[in-house]
Amino acid sequence: MLRTVMTRARRRPKRLAAAIAVAVAVMVTAAPVDAFPAASAEPAPVNYKPACDKPAARHAACLAIVDSDASGRALSPQAAPAVGLNPYNAADLQSAYGLTVASALLGGRQTIAIVDAYDDPTAEADLAVYREANHLAACTTGNGCFRKVDQRGGTDYPSADAQWAIEISLDLDMASAICPNCRLLLVEGDDEDLANLGIAVDEGVKLGADAVSNSYGAAEFADELAVAGSHYKHPGVAIVASSGDSGALSTLVPAALSTVLAVGGTSLYRDGSARGWNETAWGGAGSGCSPVVPKPSWQTDRLCAKRTIADVSAVADPHTPVLFYDTFGVPGWVYGGGTSVAAPIIAGVYALAGNTATTNTTAYPYAHHRSLFDVTAGSNGACDGGYLCNAQKGYDGPTGNGTPNGIGGF
C-alpha cells in the first residue's frame, strides 16, 4: 500500500519512519462525509501515532496525529463506528465555532498560505475529494483558487514525503472547512529545516497571503530569534502556528515567537447546550513559558517571565477527531488530530474576519477575549502554576484565551 518516497540528489534520503507513518485509521472508500454519523459524546479509547518524527532544535516536525488500531491495520468504514469514532466534517466545525454563516459568505478576497516541508504530489486531487464530499465549491489550479509553489515561488518542488503529505492534506482540508471561499496557496519548503520553512513563509506572504498556517514546530534553541525571527514577522499578515502535542511545559518555535499566534488544543464534544458543543483542554496541547522569547506587552500572566504559550485554541484531540483525505501513502479518508488541526482552523477564521491588514493579529484575541468561547475545564499535565497546565476561567496555557465564537475575537 505504501508509495515509494521519491528523492532527489540534492535532498535527504528516505527515512525509515516514512514507512511506518501510514499505519493509520483510514476510510478506504471516498464515501460522502455526511454519510458518517456525528461524533459520540464519549469516544472510546483508541491508539494514535504522530505522522512525523519528534521535533528537534532547528529541525521541525509536522504535528499531525493519526489514529490506528493496536495492530496498525487500516480500519474499514464499517469498523470505524464500532470503536466509537465518528469524526467531524466541515459542517460540524463551522457549527462548533459559530461560523456557518460567515463561512458561507466571507473570505472571497482572502488567501491562506499553507506552509509545510517536502512535496505532496496528490495535494490538489485529494483536496478536490474532500471539498466535494463536504459540499464545498471546487478549489483548483484551473479556477485560480489553488496554487502550489516551492519555497522560491516556482515549481521545482522538493522531494515527496509520505509523512508530510499527511500534514499537507490535513492543513488544506481544515482551511477549506473554515473558509471555503478563500484561495489556498501551498508553499512547500525544501525540507524540515526551520530556516527553509521560514523562507517558505516569506514566499507565502510575498505571493499575497493574508494568513499563513504553520502546523509544525522545532524544539526551542538559544539563537532561534536570529534564525527564525524575521521570517515569522510580517505586520498585516496573520502568522499562525501549532503549539505542539507534548502537553504541559513543552514549547516549540515558531509558536513561541511573539509575532506568531500560538494555537493550543481542545477536546470537542456535542452536548445539549444552546451552543450545541462543549470543549475541554486537550491533554496533549503544548503550553508553557518560552526560555528565549521576551514577553510581549499584551501578555500579563504572572508565572512566565518570558513569552507564554498558547494564545488561542481549537479542536486537536485525536479522540474527538476530524476527517480528512490523503492518498499519498494512505488510501483515503483519515482520522486526524493534533494542534495541526487547530492551526489551519484559526488561520481560516482570521481569513474570514478579513482585517489582518489593519490589526496586530497576535494581540487582538487578548483585547477581544470576551468574543471567544472560554474553555474552563481539562488539563494537559502537571505544572507548578495551575493555569499553565489547567484550563480555567480567563487565560490559561493549554487553550489560551479560548476558541472561536464567530469571527469577533479575530
Side-chain angles (χ1 to χ4, degrees):
M1 294 172 60
L2 302 182
R3 294 177 183 262
T4 301
V5 179
M6 300 170 59
T7 57
R8 296 183 183 180
R10 66 183 175 87
R11 299 181 177 105
R12 56 140 206 201
K14 292 185 291 184
R15 293 168 292 167
L16 175 63
I20 65 173
V22 297
V24 298
V26 296
M27 311 297 283
V28 178
T29 61
V33 170
D34 51 12
F36 297 99
S40 57
E42 297 294 337
V46 295
N47 299 299
Y48 56 86
K49 297 179 180 180
C52 289
D53 300 328
K54 292 182 178 180
R58 303 174 186 271
H59 294 280
C62 76
L63 296 168
I65 295 176
V66 287
D67 292 317
S68 66
D69 71 3
S71 67
R73 294 172 299 166
L75 297 176
S76 70
Q78 292 74 31
V83 298
L85 284 176
N86 299 303
Y88 297 128
N89 60 31
D92 294 327
L93 296 173
Q94 293 171 17
S95 170
Y97 295 120
L99 299 168
T100 302
V101 174
S103 295
L105 299 178
L106 303 178
R109 297 183 179 180
Q110 301 290 299
T111 297
I112 302 171
I114 301 297
V115 171
D116 282 306
Y118 302 105
D119 181 37
D120 178 0
T122 62
E124 184 173 0
D126 291 343
L127 176 64
V129 174
Y130 180 85
R131 291 182 70 102
E132 181 178 9
N134 281 273
H135 312 295
L136 308 177
C139 185
T140 67
T141 302
N143 66 17
C145 175
F146 177 81
R147 183 181 181 187
K148 183 172 83 168
V149 298
D150 61 34
Q151 70 179 47
R152 291 159 292 278
T155 56
D156 184 20
Y157 303 125
S159 58
D161 183 276
Q163 293 181 317
W164 282 84
I166 291 173
E167 182 62 67
I168 289 170
S169 291
L170 174 60
D171 294 348
L172 289 170
D173 290 355
M174 293 305 99
S176 294
I178 298 302
C179 190
N181 298 323
C182 285
R183 292 184 292 268
L184 298 175
L185 171 65
L186 173 58
V187 188
E188 298 180 331
D190 284 350
D191 54 30
E192 71 273 28
D193 184 271
L194 193 62
N196 280 329
L197 289 164
I199 292 170
V201 171
D202 293 338
E203 188 63 30
V205 174
K206 177 183 176 181
L207 294 176
D210 301 284
V212 182
S213 177
N214 305 277
S215 290
Y216 57 83
E220 287 203 78
F221 54 98
D223 59 341
E224 67 190 41
L225 289 171
V227 171
S230 64
H231 295 304
Y232 296 88
K233 183 179 181 180
H234 292 281
V237 178
I239 310 296
V240 175
S242 304
S243 72
D245 303 333
S246 297
L249 307 183
S250 62
T251 59
L252 300 177
V253 63
L257 301 173
S258 60
T259 55
V260 172
L261 193 82
V263 184
T266 67
S267 304
L268 176 67
Y269 306 96
R270 293 185 186 275
D271 69 6
S273 67
R275 176 188 174 189
W277 301 85
N278 182 40
E279 289 176 277
T280 60
W282 172 48
S287 69
C289 308
S290 171
V292 177
V293 179
K295 199 172 195 69
S297 60
W298 52 87
Q299 286 193 325
T300 59
D301 64 292
R302 58 187 176 82
L303 291 179
C304 289
K306 296 184 183 294
R307 165 84 156 114
T308 311
I309 295 136
D311 299 312
V312 296
S313 55
V315 61
D317 187 350
H319 295 89
T320 62
V322 299
L323 189 64
F324 70 102
Y325 192 81
D326 175 49
T327 60
F328 186 69
V330 295
W333 292 108
V334 185
Y335 297 137
T339 50
S340 276
V341 174
I345 286 175
I346 296 300
V349 179
Y350 265 122
L352 289 176
N355 63 352
T356 60
T358 59
T359 63
N360 182 331
T361 54
T362 309
Y364 197 88
Y366 287 82
H368 298 83
H369 61 90
R370 290 183 178 83
S371 296
L372 301 171
F373 288 123
D374 191 9
V375 181
T376 60
S379 174
N380 67 346
C383 59
D384 293 335
Y387 77 90
L388 289 179
C389 59
N390 298 308
Q392 63 174 24
K393 185 176 177 59
Y395 179 84
D396 58 71
T399 70
N401 292 289
T403 63
N405 179 6
I407 61 176
F410 301 87

